Amino acid sequence: MLNRIYTRSGDDGTTALGTGERRKKYDLRIEAYGTLDEVNAVIGVARLHMAGDPALDAVLSRIQNDLFDVEADLCMPSEAGKGPGGARLTVTDAQVTWLEGEIDRLNAELAPLESFVLPGGSPAAAYLHLARTVCRRAERMMVALADKPGESVTAAALKYVNRLSDFLFVAGRRMNDKGAADVLWVPGQNR
């Protein structure tokens, strides 16, 4: 139960993982799931601008919940961590497969790309592109964490975050009139 917001236990610059182990707040594992929390917050802001697309808003709502599964996965650095019902809290391959299906569904509706897309266009698209860039940062942290001796990151968590950045890209394009209102990069335009 989360009825007390402050505990004072982090006043020494540490925070607890799901296993109870305490780590510095700048620890790479903490940075990774904290950055995923940033992704989630930016998606929340993007959703404020989704009034014209309730179907995409519903997908983003599910993704926000799934992101907590990824964060829980990262918060439990070993197989010992168990969640409700005794199962390990983790993102699953089924969630990755669902996200791939959503990417394919959205991408099929988009105008073909003629150039790289600049973040912008509608407010929802701009925020989805911001979420994508933060997601890529989280992915880089997770890969660095997985490469660190004594650390691990599940394959499903890495796949989910990789696919999520792709999803956020196509979702941003969808919010730009299915790609028709994308802001495109014009190479060398200002030379």
Side-chain angles (χ1 to χ4, degrees):
M1 190 163 194
L2 300 171
N3 59 356
R4 187 168 177 195
I5 300 304
Y6 65 91
T7 63
R8 297 187 178 117
S9 61
D11 291 351
D12 65 353
T14 65
T15 193
L17 296 176
T19 59
E21 175 190 351
R22 297 205 63 84
R23 296 213 184 167
K24 287 291 197 179
K25 292 187 179 196
Y26 56 77
D27 182 90
L28 191 53
R29 184 169 296 278
I30 308 305
E31 288 278 356
Y33 68 75
T35 303
L36 288 174
D37 199 32
E38 283 183 61
V39 173
N40 210 333
V42 178
I43 290 171
V45 175
R47 290 184 64 206
L48 294 174
H49 302 279
M50 305 296 265
D53 199 332
L56 183 55
D57 183 60
V59 171
L60 289 169
S61 176
R62 177 173 170 170
I63 286 170
Q64 285 189 289
N65 196 79
D66 286 353
L67 274 170
F68 266 72
D69 290 349
V70 180
E71 290 178 51
D73 193 325
L74 287 170
C75 190
M76 295 291 203
S78 71
E79 292 298 320
K82 302 293 183 192
R88 185 173 189 279
L89 289 170
T90 182
V91 67
T92 67
D93 286 329
Q95 288 165 292
V96 174
T97 299
W98 172 82
L99 192 52
E100 289 172 344
E102 291 300 310
I103 293 166
D104 293 343
R105 184 181 64 77
L106 287 183
N107 199 45
E109 302 174 356
L110 300 178
L113 276 174
E114 298 175 17
S115 180
F116 286 102
V117 175
L118 300 176
S122 71
Y127 282 117
L128 289 166
H129 283 295
L130 176 59
R132 173 186 54 80
T133 64
V134 178
C135 188
R136 286 288 189 206
R137 178 167 27 106
E139 180 184 17
R140 291 189 300 271
M141 290 175 176
M142 290 170 67
V143 170
L145 180 63
D147 286 349
K148 199 171 174 183
E151 295 287 0
S152 66
V153 176
T154 66
L158 282 170
K159 285 189 270 186
Y160 188 90
V161 172
N162 180 271
R163 297 310 182 283
L164 179 57
S165 60
D166 295 333
F167 173 84
L168 293 167
F169 177 76
V170 296
R173 294 195 67 221
R174 178 188 172 112
M175 293 311 296
N176 273 341
D177 193 20
K178 296 184 178 178
D182 280 339
V183 180
L184 299 179
W185 174 48
V186 180
Q189 179 181 22
N190 300 311
R191 288 186 183 166

